[in-house]
């Protein structure tokens, strides 16, 4: 049986359901749907910490036990949404995302997760960590250049803050929606 495309695996910060709902409502009210070709299902919102790619599931599930041991010593921390942005050309962005405000605890957590994955022998992308939540892909000709960058806030103008309390090992299921399956949930210390 041909299982192409093969699933990919990654470790990510799990967003609380309340944050996913808020972000989905906010994006729906702030941006026209026809600006991007593919919008991410709100249940798939996350912040990737280490993308493992196409690896053997049993290897990564076994490794996640080591990851969980490390993470149970890490303390949960607050994180605040920042503004939207994009990757790619200004007139044709390929990824539209929600950013977060600068967070030394998030950067340190990512560094530890990344290091443990490297120590285990996983090949990881060496680009600098740019924490973001992917919202959509494939900008269209309807897109107004430069208008995709907006601060994210509640109607009264206050920022949205949530607690980072869990890291999850996700598996992609590309033909499904939502397309990310939680394999292992690893709590941080509260």
């Amino acid at each position: 049986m041909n299982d192409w495309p093969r699933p990919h695996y990654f470790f990510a910060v799990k967003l609380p359901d309340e944050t996913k709902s808020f972000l989905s409502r906010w994006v729906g009210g702030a941006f026209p749907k026809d600006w991007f070709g593919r919008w991410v299902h709100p249940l798939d919102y996350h912040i990737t910490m280490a993308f493992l790619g196409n690896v053997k599931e049993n290897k990564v599930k076994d490794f996640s036990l080591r990851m969980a041991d490390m993470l149970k010593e890490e303390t949960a921390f607050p994180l605040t949404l920042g503004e939207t942005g994009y990757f790619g050309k200004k007139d044709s962005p390929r990824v539209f995302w929600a950013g977060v405000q600068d967070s030394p605890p998030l950067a340190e957590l990512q560094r530890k997760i990344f290091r443990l994955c490297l120590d285990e022998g996983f090949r990881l992308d060496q680009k600098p960590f740019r924490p973001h939540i992917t919202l959509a892909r494939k900008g269209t000709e309807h897109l107004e250049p430069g208008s995709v960058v907006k601060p994210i806030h509640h109607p009264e103008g206050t920022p949205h803050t949530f607690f980072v309390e869990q890291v999850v090992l996700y598996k992609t299921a590309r033909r499904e929606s939502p397309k990310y399956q939680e394999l292992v949930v690893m709590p941080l210390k509260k």
Side-chain angles (χ1 to χ4, degrees), residues 36-95:
F36 288 90
R38 286 195 342 246
W39 289 87
V40 173
H41 193 291
L43 292 178
D44 283 337
Y45 292 166
H46 66 273
I47 301 172
T48 300
M49 304 300 269
F51 183 78
L52 306 177
N54 178 11
V55 295
K56 294 192 182 292
E57 184 170 319
N58 60 345
K59 177 182 179 180
V60 75
K61 283 176 91 172
D62 290 345
F63 170 64
S64 67
L65 298 175
R66 284 186 56 212
M67 184 68 71
D69 279 344
M70 187 266 294
L71 291 172
K72 71 182 179 187
E73 300 303 319
E74 298 296 318
T75 303
F77 56 89
L79 192 59
T80 301
L81 296 176
E83 63 183 18
T84 54
Y86 61 91
F87 298 131
K89 297 177 183 175
K90 189 175 186 178
D91 60 347
S92 179
R94 56 185 169 70
V95 175

Side-chain angles (χ1 to χ4, degrees), residues 8 26 29 33 44 47 49 51 63 69 73 76 78 93 104 112 118 126-127 141 148 152 157 159 163 165 172:
H8 291 117
W26 184 85
K33 281 289 187 194
D44 283 337
I47 301 172
M49 304 300 269
F51 183 78
F63 170 64
D69 279 344
E73 300 303 319
K112 289 178 179 179
L118 288 176
Q126 297 294 319
K127 286 187 240 166
E141 67 275 1
V148 297
I152 303 166
F163 269 83
E165 297 179 331
T172 61

